[in-house]
Amino acid sequence: MTTTASEDARDTGAPQTAHPPQDSRVQQVSERLILVEAGGRRLLTDAVCPHRKGWMRYGHLDAERMLLRCPLHHSAFDLLGGGRRVAGPACDVLRIVAELPAGAPVPPEDELRRLEGRLDALD
Ligand code: FES
């Protein structure tokens, strides 16, 4: 008997989505920056929410829409729209300091510190 991918997912109890996100994740890479990887994009952003400093590494990433939602009060930020807020109480953008090329390693510590300096320049 042949089964489809969605039937296989149901059989294993795995979550079912129409287009499962591939290689999507959020990771803290320095004290002030997170790396958001989704849809082939790799963005270095502020590690904290502009509203009340929620830790964005614990946020929900909608990889298909490239939205990152704060875990505290659920502001959502459009990562392809310059980090602009699309929902929730935040007033400011989620600051994006750089986009890394596909396959490039996470920058070394001294480069990450230099990129953290861009956060202050974006205020
Ligand atoms: S701290 Fe992020 S929405 Fe309030």
Side-chain angles (χ1 to χ4, degrees), residues 48-56 69-77 87-90:
V48 296
C49 176
H51 181 232
R52 292 196 181 166
K53 310 293 183 203
W55 290 358
M56 298 304 289
R69 188 173 298 273
C70 177
L72 280 188
H73 309 109
H74 311 289
S75 287
F77 301 93

Side-chain angles (χ1 to χ4, degrees), residues 29-30 33 44 106-117:
V29 293
S30 73
L33 295 175
L44 287 169
V106 173
E109 193 173 321
D110 58 338
E111 175 66 6
L112 288 171
R113 271 198 299 276
R114 187 186 70 76
L115 291 167
E116 285 177 340

Side-chain angles (χ1 to χ4, degrees), residues 44-120:
L44 287 169
T45 80
D46 196 342
V48 296
C49 176
H51 181 232
R52 292 196 181 166
K53 310 293 183 203
W55 290 358
M56 298 304 289
R57 71 175 184 243
Y58 298 121
H60 172 77
L61 175 61
D62 179 340
E64 289 185 21
R65 297 168 59 202
M66 287 298 282
L67 295 177
L68 185 59
R69 188 173 298 273
C70 177
L72 280 188
H73 309 109
H74 311 289
S75 287
F77 301 93
D78 179 359
L79 298 173
L80 298 182
R84 71 183 172 94
R85 179 191 62 86
V86 294
C91 298
D92 294 323
V93 300
L94 179 66
R95 297 174 293 185
I96 298 171
V97 299
E99 180 163 5
L100 302 180
V106 173
E109 193 173 321
D110 58 338
E111 175 66 6
L112 288 171
R113 271 198 299 276
R114 187 186 70 76
L115 291 167
E116 285 177 340
R118 289 188 185 177
L119 291 172
D120 301 324

